[in-house]
Amino acid sequence: MAPGSAGLFQKAILQSAQCTGRKWSPGPPTWFPLPRAEREQHGLDLAAKAGCSDPRTAAACLRAVPVGELLKWSDYGLGSGPSVGGGVLPVSPERAFATGHFSRVPVIQGTTRDEHRLFTAAIEAVTGRTTTDADYRQQIRTLFTPADAARVLARYPAGRFHSPGEALSTVVGDWAWGCTALGRDQALDRHVPTYAYEFDDEKAPWFSTLKKPNFPTGAFHGSELEYLFDDEQLPGPATPAQHRLADTMVRYWARFAYTGDPNGPGTAPWPRFGTGRHVQSLQPGRTEPVDLAQEHQCGFWQTITVRTGVRPAPRP
């Protein structure tokens, strides 16, 4: 999407990326692309929190603040994402995808089935506080309008899950990750060859550096990485079926890097996305198209309205 990147690559693989999508919590933005003026104001707000309230001298003042002091404000969004407007990203990724203003190269693009379970688990680990039923209900009421919050709670009752934390993860995973990915698949395929996937090993090995939550971690955000690369934080495939899945994925990724098409001998056919809703499911013992819209209840989510201040994504 950055004009300056044109010609620097021949193919692209997007894994779990949310360069467009729903801002799934109120409060300060993190990696979501925002207009430059909004991002600059966010920086000035953070500077004021750190004792540098004069906009004219904020940058110089921040350079003099000890790192330890700055880290106190990290929960305010110290790690910010890209700015839209100006040289690097003239228009938002959302608009670039919709209008075809991006580098025309073949794409593999996908998510994991249970993306948001990692984020819920990480928040619980950092705060030392397990998500309660009251927390779950409050989060849903913060994200959605009153009438639609009631509909979401009825559709995703906490009692249907192992814990309220898993219920919250499923809501955000369907709404902000799965259905957003489907919309992005559809936008990409209008312009370039697109091979869409969903990684779905429900028993993917968990991080060695992060406490497990009180619910199954499933195919969490980033779990597909250990099937493709070595990673000190992730133990990697454990069972024969997981090793076979890893081999299949490496073959897909390597062929795509070489030819722009993941298909070849020794692996199940991976059809181009087309304009529909089916993506390649990557599971131990099963590599075939699945209906992403059905898995993540996207028809339901098309009818849900978010509260002001919660950034929605284009609907598939």
Side-chain angles (χ1 to χ4, degrees):
M1 293 162 290
S5 72
L8 299 181
F9 56 97
Q10 297 173 319
K11 302 104 182 171
I13 300 177
L14 290 73
Q15 296 185 210
S16 299
Q18 286 297 83
C19 55
T20 65
R22 294 169 168 89
K23 182 176 178 294
W24 44 261
S25 66
T30 51
W31 65 79
F32 297 92
L34 291 173
R36 181 171 177 172
E38 189 173 341
R39 186 68 77 189
E40 288 177 346
Q41 186 58 52
H42 171 223
L44 290 172
D45 292 344
L46 173 61
K49 293 278 185 179
C52 300
S53 56
D54 188 341
R56 296 168 297 178
T57 59
C61 177
L62 283 171
R63 293 188 187 102
V65 176
V67 171
E69 182 67 20
L70 287 175
L71 289 176
K72 292 180 182 178
W73 305 107
S74 61
D75 61 340
Y76 189 72
L78 193 57
S80 293
S83 300
V84 173
V88 178
L89 283 179
V91 299
S92 70
E94 188 175 310
R95 179 165 175 74
F97 280 138
T99 58
H101 287 88
F102 57 88
S103 294
R104 302 298 179 86
V105 298
V107 171
I108 282 178
Q109 196 276 139
T111 60
T112 67
R113 173 116 187 222
D114 306 302
E115 288 277 1
H116 204 71
R117 294 190 190 186
L118 170 61
F119 296 97
T120 301
I123 290 169
E124 290 185 351
V126 169
T127 61
R129 188 171 181 275
T130 300
T131 304
T132 65
D133 187 67
D135 295 332
Y136 171 51
R137 291 176 173 276
Q138 180 58 41
Q139 282 283 326
I140 299 304
R141 290 168 180 150
T142 300
L143 288 170
F144 306 109
T145 59
D148 282 341
R151 292 176 61 212
V152 171
L153 290 169
R155 187 90 169 199
Y156 295 79
R160 200 183 87 199
F161 301 91
H162 291 87
S163 72
E166 183 183 359
L168 177 62
S169 300
T170 305
V171 166
V172 181
D174 287 353
W175 165 65
W177 294 92
C179 297
T180 296
L182 180 60
R184 194 167 56 230
D185 291 335
Q186 293 167 342
L188 282 166
D189 198 78
R190 284 194 285 269
H191 302 283
V192 298
T194 301
Y195 297 90
Y197 75 88
E198 180 179 67
F199 179 80
D200 188 15
D201 183 356
E202 64 180 7
K203 296 183 178 179
W206 183 245
F207 287 89
S208 58
T209 54
L210 183 63
K211 178 184 176 182
K212 268 196 167 186
N214 65 347
F215 52 81
T217 51
F220 56 91
H221 175 79
S223 58
E224 82 275 38
L225 295 177
E226 59 188 319
Y227 290 68
L228 295 164
F229 309 104
D230 290 332
D231 189 312
E232 292 181 357
Q233 298 182 82
L234 292 163
T239 68
Q242 288 176 334
H243 281 285
R244 287 192 294 272
L245 174 59
D247 182 65
T248 295
M249 291 172 62
V250 169
R251 287 173 184 267
Y252 279 145
W253 264 239
R255 284 199 201 101
F256 178 80
Y258 188 57
T259 69
D261 185 334
N263 290 287
T267 53
W270 184 346
R272 275 186 56 172
F273 177 75
T275 57
R277 21 196 277 173
H278 286 79
V279 307
Q280 191 82 332
S281 177
L282 302 174
Q283 297 181 37
R286 178 190 176 194
T287 307
E288 61 187 18
V290 296
D291 188 331
L292 197 68
Q294 183 178 39
E295 284 198 345
H296 294 285
Q297 305 192 57
C298 297
F300 168 75
W301 288 109
Q302 287 181 7
T303 70
I304 297 298
T305 304
V306 299
R307 281 184 176 272
T308 302
V310 179
R311 189 174 299 276
R315 290 170 173 170

